[in-house]
Amino acid sequence: MYKILIAEDDLVIAREISIQIQNWGYETKVIEDFTQVMAEFVSFSPQLVLMDISLPFFNGYYWCKEIRKVSKVPIVFLSSAADNMNIVMAINMGADDFIAKPFDPNVLTAKIQAMLRRSYDFSGQMNLIEHKGAILNTSDATLMYQGERIELTKNDYRILQILMENKGNVVSRDMLMTRLWETDSYVDENTLTVNMARLRKKLEQAGLKNFITTKKGIGYLVE
């Protein structure tokens, strides 16, 4: 489920936007304390930010610039100040799109969906690999399934990365051991077997049963 952070100080508008996009299956969070925008951003970890220009304490341009220091997450400005100067300023500060108020809620939803597709398309050269609903983020070595984060060890992550990058194809035990060795962790036959058993148990406990298949005498695959 994609998460969308809403930085809009008119709470009536913010809640209307929130309800609209929740109806399309997105999780939302409306910022109410505008002294804590970055703290809210970090704790919520959204996939997209909707940002007004006029906000208490610091304006949207400021927060856009601060977010850009730590993240490439898509940022869409929503503002009635839709003159060319403000649009250019927003883009220069790192925004990805600008929607003028008042706007049609369905147009807003369509733009959000398009932005998320462009930013998180699994078939493109992104940092995410998806299989059977499990999403492996290769930029931070995390695994998400049904909205829950599954904690991975370094070897857990490397095994999953190799198998998911080669989904549909058998990966030999020799290849796995060679790739794991590259991470400066010594891995022999027994170590790989133990690591694989622990990873499978962890995946099953998270609801991912039979996620990894054994091809006896050959290796492993996800299919």
Side-chain angles (χ1 to χ4, degrees):
M1 180 186 295
Y2 289 117
K3 298 189 290 185
I4 298 173
L5 185 66
I6 302 170
E8 162 64 68
D9 64 328
D10 185 325
L11 290 181
V12 173
I13 295 176
R15 286 168 183 154
E16 287 176 354
I17 293 171
S18 180
I19 292 169
Q20 166 72 14
I21 55 185
Q22 282 177 8
N23 287 338
W24 285 88
Y26 301 118
E27 182 181 349
T28 64
K29 183 175 183 60
V30 174
I31 292 178
E32 297 186 16
D33 182 354
F34 287 92
T35 65
Q36 300 294 320
V37 172
M38 285 305 295
E40 296 272 19
F41 174 80
V42 172
S43 65
F44 188 54
S45 189
Q47 279 75 51
L48 185 142
V49 178
L50 298 177
M51 180 82 70
D52 193 6
I53 293 177
S54 297
L55 297 172
F57 304 105
F58 297 99
N59 63 26
Y61 298 138
Y62 171 84
W63 291 119
C64 181
K65 187 168 66 172
E66 290 300 298
I67 289 170
R68 279 289 167 263
K69 292 177 182 177
V70 299
S71 174
K72 294 180 181 179
V73 66
I75 300 173
V76 178
F77 270 88
L78 308 174
S79 178
S80 55
D83 56 274
N84 287 342
M85 185 180 73
N86 277 304
I87 294 173
V88 170
M89 179 76 77
I91 301 302
N92 286 341
M93 287 292 178
D96 297 275
D97 204 348
F98 193 109
I99 301 175
K101 295 177 182 176
F103 48 79
D104 184 314
N106 293 320
V107 171
L108 173 63
T109 303
K111 282 189 170 261
I112 288 171
Q113 291 171 329
M115 184 67 67
L116 290 170
R117 281 197 303 272
R118 289 197 298 270
S119 302
Y120 304 102
D121 179 5
F122 299 134
S123 63
Q125 295 181 347
M126 301 301 294
N127 293 324
L128 307 173
I129 308 173
E130 189 273 344
H131 184 64
K132 293 184 177 179
I135 301 172
L136 185 71
N137 188 330
T138 60
S139 63
D140 63 6
T142 58
L143 183 69
M144 298 291 294
Y145 180 63
Q146 295 184 344
E148 297 295 323
R149 177 171 171 159
I150 302 169
E151 294 298 327
L152 301 175
T153 65
K154 182 168 66 174
N155 281 350
D156 288 342
Y157 165 70
R158 292 294 289 147
I159 291 169
L160 276 178
Q161 181 188 22
I162 296 161
L163 293 178
M164 291 177 73
E165 284 176 347
N166 293 278
K167 58 187 175 183
N169 299 307
V170 178
V171 178
S172 69
R173 289 176 63 87
D174 285 344
M175 180 181 173
L176 280 169
M177 288 187 290
T178 300
R179 291 283 298 273
L180 289 170
W181 173 265
E182 291 170 0
T183 67
D184 69 27
S185 297
Y186 176 71
V187 178
D188 62 15
E189 286 276 352
N190 291 333
T191 304
L192 178 60
T193 300
V194 171
N195 275 264
M196 189 64 73
R198 287 176 178 169
L199 175 57
R200 278 180 157 148
K201 183 177 180 181
K202 190 177 295 184
L203 294 174
E204 287 180 3
Q205 289 173 340
L208 287 165
K209 294 184 178 179
N210 302 316
F211 190 78
I212 299 172
T213 302
T214 299
K215 293 296 181 181
K216 194 170 181 180
I218 305 175
Y220 306 94
L221 82 158
V222 293
E223 58 182 349

